[in-house]
Amino acid sequence: MAAVTAAMVKELREMTGAGMMDCKKALAATDGDMEKAVEFLREKGLAGAAKKAGRIAAEGIVATAVAADEKKAVIVEVNAETDFVAKNEKFQTYVADVAAQALTTSAKDLDAFMEERWAKDETLSVKEALASQIAIIGENMNIRRFEQVEEANGFVASYIHAGGKIGVLVDVETDVVNDDIKDMAKNVAMQAAALKPMFTSRDEVSADYIAKETEILTAAAKNEKPDANDKIIEGMVKGRINKELKETCLLDQVYVKAEDGKQSVSQYVAAVAKANGASIKVKKFIRFETGEGLEKKSEDFAAEVAKQMGM
């Protein structure tokens, strides 16, 4: 049986929000398997859906660059060690240069991007230019990721929140492009930034995802109502999955600016389309949050967990 460590308990607690002792029990019951421990807690009704990104602790900024015709855009994340550097003008200028290059790159992944010539000084590769910036700024930095979006039959909208903590691109297919429709796209991007959806629409949700959620929620429902028959359990699960999808699918979410508090994002998009005599489809979104999935060491917290749990 795998030993349950304080660091494992800490990680599970951050992923689920469950109590320390519950996390310890879950890890013990699943032989230290983190994913099974998350499922164990959810089945017992002790945790919500896992937030695998964990705590956001790494510093840096997210930036976007959009082509002049707005048919292509890119989003990048560049990390630094401290918030002080992230707010530094030299660092921000460098990140803008990275975004500008990523907009035009033909590289299909980060490794290939790092090996290409740096547009600001072609005697250097992107990797060597990064090393040069590290020497100048005096702090470790990392180009973590980038993603391009192209839309030939419409445009790509961009939104940056909180000075680069969150960035969003929205791919809009439309036969009409005007200020009203651009405002709509920005509002949808702001929605994605604020409410952190997992999918654009239900079309993106895989059968495997639904099957797994059904399994977990069925176990949770049976724990809640052990005397309920299968039909009642099935109804409970169906309702909970529907509620979950309304929260995790961007177009199903309640539009945050809706006056009645009921209009969904898809209904908002449809209303704008009707008002402008347009055919509009929000095809996808890309959302980057600085430090997503990264975590600084926190030895003191781990030690505190160990102390409280007698480890």
Side-chain angles (χ1 to χ4, degrees):
M1 186 180 204
V4 177
T5 67
M8 291 165 68
V9 174
K10 171 179 173 289
E11 182 181 353
L12 185 58
R13 184 185 180 195
E14 287 169 356
M15 288 172 70
T16 64
M20 284 190 291
M21 293 309 298
D22 289 326
C23 288
K24 184 179 180 183
K25 288 176 185 175
L27 286 163
T30 57
D31 200 23
D33 186 307
M34 197 62 65
E35 287 195 10
K36 288 181 180 177
V38 171
E39 291 175 13
F40 178 93
L41 289 169
R42 291 186 65 200
E43 287 172 1
K44 298 297 183 186
L46 298 171
K51 306 300 184 201
K52 292 190 178 181
R55 281 170 48 190
I56 295 166
E59 303 298 342
I61 57 175
V62 173
T64 60
V66 182
D69 63 3
E70 300 182 320
K71 291 188 178 297
K72 184 176 182 180
V74 72
I75 185 167
V76 302
E77 178 186 356
V78 181
N79 298 122
E81 289 182 53
T82 65
D83 186 52
F84 177 78
V85 164
K87 292 177 179 176
N88 179 285
E89 187 177 342
K90 285 183 179 178
F91 178 77
Q92 293 183 355
T93 299
Y94 169 70
V95 176
D97 290 340
V98 172
Q101 179 143 347
L103 179 64
T104 60
T105 186
S106 58
K108 299 302 180 187
D109 57 42
L110 190 59
D111 287 341
F113 179 67
M114 296 299 284
E115 294 304 320
E116 72 181 27
R117 294 291 95 190
W118 179 236
K120 303 284 287 187
D121 181 354
E122 293 196 352
T123 65
L124 302 174
S125 66
V126 173
K127 187 175 182 179
E128 289 166 341
L130 172 62
S132 175
Q133 287 296 318
I134 290 170
I136 292 167
I137 292 175
E139 187 169 301
N140 191 31
M141 293 157 48
N142 178 47
I143 300 173
R144 187 181 177 209
R145 52 181 170 163
F146 75 93
E147 191 161 344
Q148 294 176 340
V149 176
E150 292 189 63
E151 180 49 67
N153 301 311
F155 64 97
V156 183
S158 151
Y159 174 68
I160 293 293
H161 179 73
K165 289 295 182 187
I166 300 170
V168 177
L169 296 179
V170 175
D171 180 344
V172 181
E173 183 180 85
T174 175
D175 56 355
V176 176
V177 178
N178 60 26
D179 288 345
D180 282 350
I181 292 170
K182 286 183 179 181
D183 284 345
M184 175 277 297
K186 184 179 179 182
N187 286 334
V188 172
M190 290 171 70
Q191 172 100 13
L195 295 189
K196 201 174 183 177
M198 293 171 62
F199 312 102
T200 307
S201 69
R202 297 192 185 204
D203 293 340
E204 289 182 2
V205 183
S206 71
D208 286 346
Y209 178 88
I210 295 295
K212 194 65 181 176
E213 287 301 294
T214 299
E215 181 186 329
I216 292 169
L217 294 173
T218 298
K222 286 180 176 178
N223 277 327
E224 282 179 40
K225 296 186 179 293
D227 298 327
N229 62 40
D230 290 346
K231 189 174 181 180
I232 291 173
I233 295 296
E234 186 180 336
M236 289 171 66
V237 171
K238 187 176 180 181
R240 288 175 184 183
I241 287 178
N242 190 51
K243 182 176 183 291
E244 184 179 314
L245 291 175
K246 283 184 177 180
E247 294 171 353
T248 58
C249 294
L250 173 62
L251 294 175
D252 276 2
Q253 289 179 341
V254 173
Y255 177 47
V256 290
K257 291 186 176 181
E259 292 182 4
D260 62 359
K262 295 179 181 179
Q263 184 186 41
S264 68
V265 173
S266 63
Q267 289 170 335
Y268 164 61
V269 173
V272 172
K274 184 177 180 181
N276 288 273
S279 173
I280 302 174
K281 180 181 180 182
V282 174
K283 289 170 71 174
K284 72 174 183 176
F285 75 95
I286 306 295
R287 182 187 187 277
F288 282 4
E289 187 162 347
T290 306
E292 209 165 30
L294 299 177
E295 187 183 345
K296 290 179 181 177
K297 290 182 180 178
S298 181
E299 300 298 339
D300 290 345
F301 185 79
E304 179 190 335
V305 173
K307 183 177 179 183
Q308 287 189 39
M309 300 183 67
M311 289 178 160

